[in-house]
Amino acid sequence: MKVLLLENIHPVAVEVLEARGFEVELRAGSLSEEELLEALPGVQLLGIRSNTHITRAVLDGAPDLLAIGCFCIGTNQVDLVSAADRGIAVFNAPFSNTRSVVELVIGEIIALARRLTEKTHKMHDGVWDKSANGSHEVRGRTLGIVGYGNIGTQLSNLAEALGLRVIFFDTADRLAHGNAQRMRTLDELLAKADVVSLHVDGRPGNAGFFGEEQFAKMKPRSIFINAARGMVVDNESLRDHILSGHIAGAALDVFPVEPKAQGDEFQSVLRGLPNVILTPHVGGSTQEAQEEIGYFVAGKLAGFSLEGRTELSVNLPAVLAPAHVAGHRIGFLHINVPGVLAGVNGVLADAGANVTGQYLSTRAEQGYVVTDTLDPLPADALAKLTESEHTIWLRTWDA
Ligand SMILES: NC(=O)c1ccc[n+]([C@@H]2O[C@H](COP(=O)([O-])OP(=O)(O)OC[C@H]3O[C@@H](n4cnc5c(N)ncnc54)[C@H](O)[C@@H]3O)[C@@H](O)[C@H]2O)c1
């Protein structure tokens, strides 16, 4: 099988795929629609980052494509619905950069508590201003984590190791790590936290959820951090609270509007404020995260094409089948209408198949069944399934 990897994907992806028998072609940049239409025939697996756009037209011109790996977090660059309609699985790396974000936030908490941005600016201007005023240790301070998911929980663990007291608020039930304490409401957290750090996801309901009312409820001289999504925070209110001295410092890595291209001007009401760290959405951007993404997505592409596994696919029904180490496997992606599974099992029963495992899942209008059997299914039984009016694709694997 042939793999095409674009946009300087980390070399570890090549290692993972070649070790599993794939032929890998690498290209440094992204490809335009026209270039993709030329390059994709004969390619089974495609790896991209955020600059390659996979449109319906590109998918129409890629008859051999089985799966797309987005070697990044976002998948907006791919027409996911059109890919699903064609049975093409799309994968990404939703949590490969978790640790990188957490390390940035930990660094910022300490930098803001010590007012390092002001101190380093003064030193660069030749001013020696040695003073302990406004500088604090973080030990014993209370960190309030809003959104206790992949990043929030890992931040919780590292922050406790530094001696911070951790409280959190999440709209879902989440297991408290270590000594962290759940707050019943956001207000309860805001009333207690010396540092508030946002780690909520980008669901539409979160747009603007942290504004004037929430800043007003934060403790005087507290610190605010947003490395989650730009659209969740009202930055005008944050500016007012920083200028009034109510908020002692802030760090922002994400913004409601971010420049599109390298070198474009960054415009924000937060520019030029004291003790405010602004970073260009680099929370997850480290060499280690890139390597982890390369390893993770390459593994997902290989697992799908060699074993029919779709767990963590962002557009097909997610089936976590065990490693395929013995016997035969049939993967059947179909339109999700009542009776299809009974039909599949009818064909298996008629063929006298000895089923050793069956795993299934549905998503939107599709269903996916993975069936492991002791012996290969006879050709006429496979043909019955392939020819069913509900079939999107049927694939088989021999261990
Ligand atoms: N700055 C960066 O470079 C960078 C990198 C990676 C992720 N992120 C962002 O960080 C955020 C967190 O990522 P994650 O992987 O931990 O996500 P996640 O989905 O694992 O966790 C999000 C958590 O927030 C909770 N939540 C959602 N809305 C809430 C609300 N209004 N109040 C309280 N809790 C709420 C959810 O229940 C969930 O537990 C995401 O928005 C992600 O896009 C930023």
Side-chain angles (χ1 to χ4, degrees):
M1 282 206 225
K2 190 168 168 195
V3 187
L4 176 61
L5 298 182
L6 307 177
E7 302 190 62
N8 274 328
I9 286 166
H10 195 280
V12 76
V14 182
E15 276 171 43
V16 169
L17 290 163
E18 286 185 343
R20 298 202 65 182
F22 293 92
E23 180 196 331
V24 182
E25 183 188 334
L26 279 175
R27 298 212 195 170
S30 59
L31 294 186
S32 66
E33 190 169 282
E34 235 170 45
E35 290 168 324
L36 284 165
L37 287 171
E38 205 170 293
L40 285 180
V43 167
Q44 280 79 30
L45 303 178
L46 173 68
I48 59 170
R49 292 171 69 186
S50 48
N51 285 334
T52 305
H53 294 270
I54 306 298
T55 59
R56 178 181 284 262
V58 169
L59 295 167
D60 283 339
D64 305 305
L65 198 59
L66 303 178
I68 300 167
C70 299
F71 286 73
C72 49
I73 312 301
T75 52
N76 292 344
Q77 69 280 38
V78 180
D79 182 341
L80 295 178
V81 175
S82 296
D85 287 347
R86 289 155 183 73
I88 296 172
V90 181
F91 297 94
N92 68 341
F95 36 68
S96 295
N97 60 9
T98 300
R99 172 72 188 210
S100 301
V101 178
V102 170
E103 288 194 13
L104 179 73
V105 172
I106 291 282
E108 288 172 340
I109 294 171
I110 296 173
L112 292 169
R114 299 293 289 268
R115 302 188 76 86
L116 290 189
T117 53
E118 289 170 357
K119 291 195 174 11
T120 185
H121 274 135
K122 281 191 180 167
M123 290 293 278
H124 281 285
D125 289 341
V127 179
W128 183 265
D129 179 16
K130 182 171 157 51
S131 146
N133 279 349
S135 280
H136 297 277
E137 289 185 353
V138 298
R139 177 173 50 167
R141 295 276 165 154
T142 300
L143 167 64
I145 299 175
V146 183
Y148 205 63
N150 295 320
I151 293 175
T153 48
Q154 199 168 149
L155 174 61
S156 177
N157 293 327
L158 286 201
E160 281 201 336
L162 275 178
L164 282 145
R165 207 169 75 80
V166 175
I167 57 177
F168 69 91
F169 170 69
D170 199 298
T171 43
D173 284 333
R174 297 279 180 234
L175 173 73
H177 287 219
N179 300 314
Q181 282 184 299
R182 164 191 296 281
M183 298 292 109
R184 295 215 174 100
T185 61
L186 179 60
D187 285 0
E188 196 183 348
L189 178 142
L190 298 178
K192 291 183 177 163
D194 300 303
V195 179
V196 172
S197 193
L198 301 190
H199 300 285
V200 300
D201 54 53
R203 68 187 72 183
N206 280 344
F209 103 99
F210 208 100
E212 174 54 35
E213 191 189 331
Q214 289 69 35
F215 284 118
K217 286 177 178 165
M218 284 175 62
K219 282 170 76 172
R221 307 300 297 158
S222 53
I223 284 171
F224 176 78
I225 296 177
N226 181 19
R229 296 289 176 116
M231 56 94 173
V232 302
V233 176
D234 173 0
N235 283 343
E236 308 258 347
S237 299
L238 174 57
R239 178 187 165 86
D240 293 345
H241 284 268
I242 289 166
L243 288 176
S244 74
H246 174 223
I247 303 288
L252 290 302
D253 186 47
V254 287
F255 304 89
V257 181
E258 296 180 358
K260 289 223 166 9
Q262 198 82 335
D264 282 0
E265 188 183 349
F266 165 64
Q267 293 177 332
S268 169
V269 293
L270 300 172
R271 273 173 53 179
L273 295 180
N275 208 28
V276 172
I277 299 173
L278 302 176
T279 46
H281 205 147
V282 290
S285 304
T286 61
Q287 293 302 307
E288 289 75 13
Q290 286 308 316
E291 181 170 348
E292 181 55 32
I293 288 169
Y295 181 80
F296 185 90
V297 180
K300 291 287 161 282
L301 289 174
F304 174 70
S305 53
L306 299 179
E307 299 180 51
R309 299 162 66 123
T310 54
E311 79 259 25
L312 294 179
S313 162
V314 296
N315 66 335
L316 294 191
V319 170
L320 172 55
H324 183 215
V325 288
H328 303 269
R329 174 167 285 181
I330 305 153
F332 182 52
L333 184 72
H334 58 85
I335 307 289
N336 182 22
V337 292
V340 174
L341 186 60
V344 171
N345 285 334
V347 171
L348 292 168
D350 290 346
N354 187 344
V355 174
T356 54
Q358 193 169 57
Y359 319 91
L360 60 135
S361 171
T362 60
R363 179 181 209 148
E365 278 140 35
Q366 295 183 332
Y368 182 45
V369 193
V370 173
T371 307
D372 288 343
T373 59
L374 214 49
D375 300 307
L377 212 58
D380 62 328
L382 288 174
K384 267 188 208 157
L385 293 176
T386 310
E387 286 155 17
S388 144
E389 57 175 321
H390 304 303
T391 304
I392 299 171
W393 51 248
L394 177 129
R395 289 189 195 124
T396 58
W397 299 270
D398 295 326

